[in-house]
Amino acid sequence: RNVMASSHDSAKATNIRKWSLFALSFTTVSVSSGLVYGYPSLRRNLLTESPTTSLSEEQLGAIFTIGAWSTQGGRFLFGLARDRYGTRGTCLISLLAVVGGCVGIAVGDASNVASLGISMFCIGLGSGAQLCLQPVASLFTKSGTVLASLSGAFQISGLMFLAVLSISSNRTHAYLSNRTHAFLGLAAVVGALAIFAGFLLPVGPSFVKTVNHDVDAEKTEEMAHDVEEPAPANEEEVVVDEEQSKQQSPTSPTLQDKLRRLKKILFQKEYMALLGWFCTCIVPLQY
């Protein structure tokens, strides 16, 4: 009975952990990953705030293009970083970049192209959070449904600019305060999500290991008690085994190997086609 109760508690804890990670992933993507595509609402606010602003249509288009570029290019870079450094740290960097970008737009001047461009670039890096959180689908049997829901969350995030500006405009009629309050509030929300992510997300790239960590630890401990300790080996055998392991152990990749692997990834047909489509269609539309 104790074994069955322990198994039931472990399954319940695993289920709670799984849905908590999904809730965090869905909320984070909805609030941070596709913010750049809500730029029309910010653009209207900038023009309304200062009718005599020196921003031209070319400059307004350039600000959005910078954010759109970081949104698409950030996916690739954050994907490499997640595989190398793990989910938690990479996702935190993405969310903190969004916080910095929102603060920059909140306190920046409406006619400062450099400030707005840098802020939109940082906000665009929020797309890296979606890439880091997509592996949460591996915890569910219907992983395709989970991935589809995260894609829908990305579309929802494009409405965040309109939502926060609308909420703030109901409280004040000053356009500067409207933008300041709206984006400082958005920065606070994303910062709170970053705190939750720091506690809940796995350190490594796999979500499965995090959810099953307690269960695996218990099984490993039980198996360790059942296995008998091996007889001590002779010193000569130990020396021979160490030499063989050194000969069989693979050498660490050199800088040349890493550059060759990076070149192979960069020149994949799929990546080149996506980059060509983005440059051909997206950039000219802004001008």
Side-chain angles (χ1 to χ4, degrees):
R1 292 181 179 178
N2 293 333
V3 174
M4 294 179 62
S6 177
S7 177
H8 177 73
D9 293 340
S10 298
K12 184 178 180 180
T14 299
N15 195 46
I16 294 175
R17 182 76 172 177
K18 176 176 66 175
W19 284 103
S20 298
L21 286 171
F22 172 73
L24 174 65
S25 301
F26 186 86
T27 305
T28 301
V29 175
S30 299
V31 174
S32 64
S33 295
L35 294 177
V36 168
Y37 297 108
Y39 177 72
S41 299
L42 174 62
R43 178 184 180 277
R44 181 171 60 252
N45 181 271
L46 293 174
L47 293 176
T48 308
E49 176 184 328
S50 180
T52 59
T53 181
S54 59
L55 292 179
S56 62
E57 289 297 330
E58 289 78 10
Q59 290 173 327
L60 291 169
I63 293 171
F64 173 75
T65 302
I66 292 172
W69 265 97
S70 66
T71 299
Q72 300 300 327
R75 296 173 185 267
F76 175 74
L77 297 177
F78 277 98
L80 295 177
R82 189 189 71 85
D83 293 338
R84 180 65 181 271
Y85 302 106
T87 300
R88 181 186 298 175
T90 308
C91 186
L92 286 177
I93 292 175
S94 175
L95 294 178
L96 291 177
V98 176
V99 172
C102 290
V103 172
I105 290 182
V107 302
D109 186 76
S111 60
N112 192 330
V113 180
S115 174
L116 293 173
I118 294 173
S119 298
M120 287 293 289
F121 179 86
C122 293
I123 289 176
L125 295 179
S127 62
Q130 182 192 19
L131 195 66
C132 292
L133 297 171
Q134 280 181 339
V136 74
S138 62
L139 304 178
F140 298 85
T141 54
K142 297 182 179 181
S143 58
T145 304
V146 176
L147 290 174
S149 65
L150 292 179
S151 297
F154 182 85
Q155 303 300 325
I156 293 174
S157 63
L159 301 175
M160 289 305 299
F161 279 5
L162 175 62
V164 295
L165 287 171
S166 298
I167 293 173
S168 180
S169 64
N170 292 332
R171 299 180 179 181
T172 177
H173 298 287
Y175 290 107
L176 180 60
S177 298
N178 177 8
R179 178 164 53 89
T180 301
H181 293 166
F183 283 90
L184 286 180
L186 183 58
V189 172
V190 178
L193 289 173
I195 294 175
F196 282 109
F199 285 103
L200 293 179
L201 292 182
V203 177
S206 175
F207 278 71
V208 177
K209 292 181 180 180
T210 300
V211 174
N212 296 330
H213 176 75
D214 296 334
V215 179
D216 293 341
E218 292 179 0
K219 291 182 179 179
T220 303
E221 185 177 355
E222 293 177 359
M223 293 174 62
H225 287 296
D226 297 336
V227 177
E228 296 181 357
E229 295 183 359
N234 297 329
E235 294 183 358
E236 296 180 357
E237 295 178 357
V238 173
V239 173
V240 173
D241 292 339
E242 290 180 354
E243 292 179 354
Q244 291 179 353
S245 62
K246 290 180 180 180
Q247 294 176 358
Q248 296 177 357
S249 60
T251 57
S252 58
T254 62
L255 178 60
Q256 186 177 4
D257 294 334
K258 294 179 180 179
L259 292 176
R260 189 182 298 112
R261 178 174 176 271
L262 179 60
K263 181 179 179 181
K264 183 179 179 180
I265 295 175
L266 286 173
F267 287 94
Q268 286 182 347
K269 293 181 180 180
E270 294 82 359
Y271 182 72
M272 296 299 295
L274 177 63
L275 188 63
W277 174 263
F278 183 77
C279 294
T280 304
C281 298
I282 301 298
V283 177
L285 288 177
Q286 310 311 317
Y287 302 97

